[in-house]
Amino acid sequence: MSFTAALPTLLLLALALVMFGLGLSLTVQDFARLREHPRAVLLALVLQMVALPAVAVGLIVLLGVQPIYAVGLMLLAASPGGVSANLFSHLFGGNVAMNISLTAINTVLSIVSLPLIANWAIATYLQTGQVVPLQFGKVLEVVGVVMVPVLIGMVVRHRQPGFSERMGSPMKAFSAVVLAAFSLIAIVKEWSALTASINSLGPVVLAFNLASLLVGYYLSRAAGLAKPLATAVSFEIGIHNSTLAIFVALSVLGNLQLGLPAAIYSVSMYLTATTFGFLVLRRGG
């Protein structure tokens, strides 16, 4: 099997590794913690499921994004928070426990919401006249790569807390490196297509990233959330799991062009999130 043919499977395994690392840091009490801040949880879920797709649609219309890339942007908007959201939240004073809980619940919800949004986008922007359903086998595949590794990680933490304590951080760090490596591989593989589309895709991807961070933070503050919670919500909805969007584009939909917005985002988000953190959060925004 060629590397190109194996790439979707390798991405799937890398994502499963990340989910296992996340599971090592979770307990049942993490989910119970959601009850302590119901307003923050509800706001984050509404922003993730409703506001971000709406922002993406607005940018698509405003900037005249090509249909194939419009679908890719919607895939990115529908993706849950990424592992890096926890790191950025920690660096800039966010409630990391809330991030972990939101990442878990958003990841589970995305099993349903991401296919629904993707199918709507395909039918709307590619104008096929019909919704392309996610095959049942692919649903099981996504469930397996997201839920099962998380549950395994949680069981390992429950039975071997010492092992999980030692391995949790290295596993998450290693997973992040693996995911970043495969994102870069995807970019290098289609470098010519990426450079050809950067002028048309760069502005909309950057605008979407900044809008996600700003909407998450300032709407949270306007709703009366304390700064650590607002920071957690902002990074949770502003730092997406771009590798999941790339995986769906490659493995489920079989079209790398659909993954180009996520590929550009996977590089640019580190710069935008860091700039946002220093300019807004460190200066008491």
Side-chain angles (χ1 to χ4, degrees):
M1 179 184 295
S2 67
F3 176 78
T4 301
L7 186 58
T9 300
L10 293 175
L11 284 171
L12 184 152
L13 293 175
L15 180 61
L17 185 60
V18 167
M19 293 300 103
F20 174 74
L22 177 62
L24 287 177
S25 67
L26 287 173
T27 66
V28 175
Q29 287 71 32
D30 290 318
F31 292 93
R33 188 181 298 115
L34 297 174
R35 294 178 298 182
E36 299 176 11
H37 305 287
R39 184 168 49 178
V41 173
L42 179 61
L43 178 62
L45 294 180
V46 170
L47 290 175
Q48 173 69 45
M49 300 297 168
V50 179
L52 292 191
V55 167
V57 170
L59 290 173
I60 289 167
V61 173
L62 181 65
L63 300 179
V65 179
Q66 297 179 37
I68 191 72
Y69 298 142
V71 175
L73 187 65
M74 294 302 295
L75 276 178
L76 182 61
S79 299
V83 174
S84 298
N86 300 329
L87 174 60
F88 277 109
S89 187
H90 173 70
L91 291 175
F92 293 104
N95 186 321
V96 180
M98 176 61 67
N99 277 104
I100 293 174
S101 298
L102 287 174
T103 297
I105 193 169
N106 273 330
T107 299
V108 173
L109 290 177
S110 71
I111 295 172
V112 175
S113 63
L114 192 150
L116 287 176
I117 293 173
N119 288 335
W120 175 84
I122 291 169
T124 301
Y125 297 115
L126 295 182
Q127 299 179 350
T128 60
Q130 61 180 358
V131 173
V132 179
L134 190 65
Q135 297 179 11
F136 184 69
K138 291 298 182 182
V139 173
L140 292 180
E141 190 175 82
V142 174
V143 170
V145 81
V146 172
M147 294 186 67
V148 173
V150 167
L151 291 175
I152 292 174
M154 291 179 68
V155 170
V156 170
R157 179 187 173 107
H158 177 70
R159 295 186 176 180
Q160 299 290 336
F163 172 80
S164 298
E165 188 69 24
R166 293 191 304 271
M167 294 299 296
S169 295
M171 178 64 74
K172 286 192 289 186
F174 176 71
S175 300
V177 170
V178 170
L179 289 176
F182 279 108
S183 293
L184 290 176
I185 288 170
I187 294 172
V188 171
K189 179 178 177 293
E190 295 294 327
W191 181 251
S192 59
L194 188 62
T195 53
S197 61
I198 187 66
N199 289 334
S200 58
L201 276 177
V204 69
V205 170
L206 181 62
F208 175 73
N209 190 193
L210 289 174
S212 300
L213 290 166
L214 292 170
V215 166
Y217 183 74
Y218 284 109
L219 283 186
S220 296
R221 294 293 277 164
L225 298 186
K227 187 174 180 179
L229 286 175
T231 300
V233 171
S234 179
F235 282 121
E236 183 62 32
I237 71 166
I239 304 297
H240 293 268
N241 190 336
S242 56
T243 303
L244 177 58
I246 294 173
F247 161 69
V248 172
L250 287 172
S251 183
V252 178
L253 299 176
N255 190 328
L256 187 61
Q257 279 189 299
L258 294 173
L260 286 178
I264 294 174
Y265 176 88
S266 67
V267 176
S268 65
M269 69 176 184
Y270 294 103
L271 176 61
T272 54
T274 301
T275 302
F276 169 80
F278 279 112
L279 294 182
V280 176
L281 302 179
R282 290 298 192 197
R283 294 185 178 181

